[in-house]
Amino acid sequence: MWIFETMDFENNLAFAEAMDRDDPLKELRGEFIVPQQGSESVIYMCGNSLGLQPKVTRNVVHGQLDQWANLAVEGWFEGEEPWMYYHKSLKELLAPMVGAVVSEVCPMNTLTVNLHLLLVSFYKPSGKRFKIIMEAGAFPSDQYALESQVRFHGYDPADAIIEVSPKGGALTLKTADIIAAIETSAEEIALVLFSGVNYFTGQLFDMEAITESGHRAGAIVGFDLAHAAGNVPLMLHDWEVDFACWCSYKYQNGGPGGISAIFVHEKHFKDKTLNRFAGWWGYQENIRFKMEKGFIPEPGADGWQVSCGQVIPMSMYSAALGIFKKAGFMGPLRDKSIRLTGYLYFIINEVNKSLHFEQFKIITPEDIEQRGAQLSIVATKHAKEIFGELVKRNILGDWREPNVIRLSPVPLYNTFVEIFQIGQQLLAICNSLPND
Ligand SMILES: *Cc1c(COP(=O)(O)O)cnc(C)c1O
C-alpha cells in the first residue's frame, strides 16, 4: 500500500523512487510496450491522445487472424469465441469501466459516428425547446457534429447552440456557472451535451450535477467521455446520464482508430418513440437471420448497432481492458492517478520556484475533483523551444497552439521517477534559454 498517505511531496530522486517502490500497481507497467529511443525508454506523457500498446494485444489479434484463417465464414458461429457474440464478453468489461449495467453499453463504430447516431435518437428539438448547451472550446469534432445535427433539423447553429464560457478571466468553468446557464435557458433546451473531461484544459466536470440540472430543466443529458473513460471513475447509471460515448484509443489503450462504445441508460430501453438510424446488426439477435422486413431492435444498447461486429478492433479493446480488470478497474487506478498527477503539479511548481518566476502556468484545476490525469501547462515564455527540447530529450507530451503543453501521466504505466525527471529536464532546458 501507499506509504505516503498525505501529499507531502519532495523534489528528489529518493522520494520518487520510494513512491514507485510502494506503488501497489507498479507491476502493470510491464504489461505495456514503452517506446525506446536508443537504449532509453521514452517518457510517454501522451496517453490522453494514444495509449500505449499492451504486450498481449499482438497475440490476441493473431488469435483472431488464426480463427479467420482456420474457420473462415464459420468463425461467426464457431471457434472459442464466435464473432457473432464477440461483443458480449467485451460488454462485461465495459460496464465496470463506466459504471453501467451490462445491457446499457455496447462497442461499435468510431466515436464521432456514435455521437451522430446517439444524437439522432436523443436530440429531439420541438417547438421552442430546440437548443443545445455545451462547453465553449469543446473538441472540434463534437462542435462539427452538433452544428451539422442542428442544421439537419433546420435550425441555425448560431441560434440553437449555447456555449458556456468561463467567467471573469477564469480559464475553466465553475459548476455553478454551468448550472446557471442551464437554468437561464431552461425552457428552450432540448439537450445538454458536455465532455466528461475537456481535452484542452483537462478540467473534469461534475457530471452528476450537470445531469441533475439538465433533467430539472426538462432536457436530455449526454456526455462525450473520450478523455474521461479510463481516466476517472464514472457512474453513468447512478447519475442517470441519458447517453454517452467514448473512444478506446486514448486512456484505454485500444489502438489507433480503435473501436468506440456507447452507453444508453436503461430507462430509455422501452421508449418506442426514439428515432434511430438502424442497420441489421441492431435487429433482434435471435431472429436476425430471418432477414425480414420491418426493424425490430435488439433490447438495450445493442439495438443501436448498425453494422456487423468489428472483431479485430474489439479484440484489441478487450485485450487492453483485461489489464484494467487486473488493476481492479478505476478505483485503484484513480488512487494512483491522483498522486501521480499531484506529483507533476508539485514538480512544475518546483521548477517555477527554482526559476524565480512563473515560467509554467497550469490551466487545469488543482482540485482533484476537477481534474483527471492530464495537466495543461502554459509555457509563458519560449513555449515552442521548450516543447522541442522536451522531445529531443525523449519526453513525449503534446502541443496545443499557441503555448500549451499537455502532459498526462497514466497510472497504468507512468512512474514517479519519470515525473521527477521531467522536472529536472524542464529546469535544465529553461536555464539554457536566453533570459529576456
Ligand atoms: C478524441 C476525441 C474525439 C475523436 O473522435 P473520433 O471520431 O474518434 O476521431 C471526439 N471527441 C472528443 C471529445 C475527443 O476527445
Side-chain angles (χ1 to χ4, degrees):
M1 281 316 289
W2 297 103
I3 49 167
F4 299 102
E5 274 308 322
T6 61
M7 299 241 240
D8 292 333
F9 296 129
E10 291 174 29
N11 187 10
N12 61 67
L13 183 61
F15 175 86
E17 285 174 341
M19 285 299 273
D20 284 334
R21 226 177 9 253
D22 292 310
D23 169 5
L25 301 177
K26 61 174 175 259
E27 306 296 335
L28 295 175
R29 180 176 166 90
E31 304 266 351
F32 292 89
I33 304 172
V34 180
Q36 303 291 303
Q37 233 358 297
S39 60
E40 273 187 47
S41 293
V42 165
I43 296 184
Y44 193 74
M45 289 283 140
C46 234
N48 59 317
S49 187
L50 181 68
L52 290 180
Q53 184 181 139
K55 288 176 181 162
V56 69
T57 300
R58 188 178 292 263
N59 285 339
V60 170
V61 169
H62 281 173
Q64 293 306 329
L65 293 176
D66 288 345
Q67 179 153 330
W68 179 22
N70 296 328
L71 299 174
V73 72
E74 312 264 42
W76 283 104
F77 295 100
E78 280 164 36
E80 251 172 65
E81 290 172 292
W83 299 325
M84 173 86 176
Y85 312 107
Y86 193 88
H87 64 291
K88 294 194 195 240
S89 58
L90 183 46
K91 279 157 61 80
E92 301 281 342
L93 293 167
L94 287 174
M97 289 298 294
V98 296
V101 177
V102 173
S103 57
E104 291 174 326
V105 288
C106 191
M108 61 181 80
N109 312 314
T110 45
L111 175 54
T112 311
V113 169
N114 282 337
L115 186 56
H116 275 297
L117 292 173
L118 290 165
L119 289 170
V120 164
S121 298
F122 293 107
Y123 174 48
K124 301 183 285 183
S126 100
K128 66 175 187 162
R129 196 181 273 285
F130 64 93
K131 297 192 178 175
I132 301 176
I133 284 213
M134 69 189 300
E135 85 249 38
F139 193 84
S141 201
D142 298 36
Q143 296 184 38
Y144 309 148
L146 289 171
E147 281 170 20
S148 58
Q149 286 278 338
V150 158
R151 287 212 172 88
F152 180 73
H153 285 278
Y155 302 99
D156 180 348
D159 302 328
I161 297 178
I162 303 171
E163 292 190 346
V164 191
S165 301
K167 288 228 167 82
L171 297 167
T172 50
L173 285 164
K174 290 207 163 68
T175 306
D177 291 340
I178 300 171
I179 290 173
I182 294 172
E183 284 172 357
T184 302
S185 307
E187 264 123 61
E188 302 174 328
I189 306 172
L191 174 69
V192 177
L193 189 97
F194 264 70
S195 63
V197 172
N198 179 273
Y199 83 103
F200 187 84
T201 64
Q203 182 177 19
L204 165 62
F205 294 117
D206 186 338
M207 287 169 260
E208 186 176 18
I210 293 171
T211 305
E212 214 240 326
S213 165
H215 286 166
R216 239 185 296 121
I220 292 272
V221 183
F223 288 96
D224 183 329
L225 301 173
H227 281 265
N231 177 7
V232 293
L234 299 164
M235 299 203 293
L236 300 183
H237 178 87
D238 289 351
W239 295 339
E240 304 235 5
V241 169
D242 293 289
F243 71 93
C245 48
W246 56 94
C247 53
S248 60
Y249 51 78
K250 291 175 179 166
Y251 290 99
Q252 297 177 86
N253 316 302
I259 196 156
S260 163
I262 66 160
F263 165 89
V264 175
H265 199 281
E266 68 180 4
K267 68 189 167 197
H268 296 296
F269 289 176
K270 294 221 164 86
D271 184 351
K272 292 219 161 63
T273 68
L274 289 177
N275 277 316
R276 53 181 117 194
F277 286 171
W280 73 318
W281 226 252
Y283 195 87
Q284 200 176 312
E285 188 185 281
N286 58 348
I287 50 172
R288 184 180 301 153
F289 286 92
K290 287 190 173 172
M291 310 292 221
E292 283 177 351
K293 235 180 137 52
F295 181 74
I296 305 170
E298 174 74 1
D302 296 18
W304 271 265
Q305 294 175 99
V306 177
S307 297
C308 64
Q310 297 155 258
V311 176
I312 298 218
M314 276 199 277
S315 73
M316 293 166 77
Y317 193 10
S318 180
L321 291 187
I323 304 174
F324 281 86
K325 187 176 178 184
K326 249 185 219 174
F329 291 106
M330 289 313 298
L333 284 166
R334 176 68 170 159
D335 267 3
K336 176 172 172 188
S337 176
I338 286 171
R339 289 172 168 77
L340 200 59
T341 298
Y343 193 48
L344 179 61
Y345 203 102
F346 164 82
I347 287 290
I348 297 291
N349 281 324
E350 286 285 296
V351 175
N352 284 337
K353 259 192 230 163
S354 300
L355 294 170
H356 303 291
F357 78 103
E358 199 178 37
Q359 164 67 61
F360 299 106
K361 183 174 167 55
I362 301 174
I363 302 173
T364 313
E366 185 173 12
D367 174 12
I368 58 168
E369 302 292 325
Q370 292 186 68
R371 64 159 172 85
Q374 170 188 328
L375 292 185
S376 303
I377 304 161
V378 169
T380 56
K381 287 209 283 188
H382 305 296
K384 271 232 160 85
E385 290 97 314
I386 293 170
F387 185 74
E389 275 299 318
L390 282 175
V391 176
K392 273 193 213 149
R393 293 164 194 234
N394 291 335
I395 297 171
L396 212 56
D398 83 357
W399 170 260
R400 290 288 135 170
E401 291 294 340
N403 57 4
V404 175
I405 298 169
R406 296 189 303 177
L407 299 177
S408 301
V410 169
L412 283 169
Y413 48 73
N414 287 122
T415 66
F416 289 87
V417 166
E418 287 179 313
I419 298 206
F420 170 73
Q421 286 166 347
I422 290 173
Q424 297 293 294
Q425 293 299 331
L426 280 176
L427 191 57
I429 292 167
C430 293
N431 278 329
S432 73
L433 288 168
N435 208 350
D436 57 45

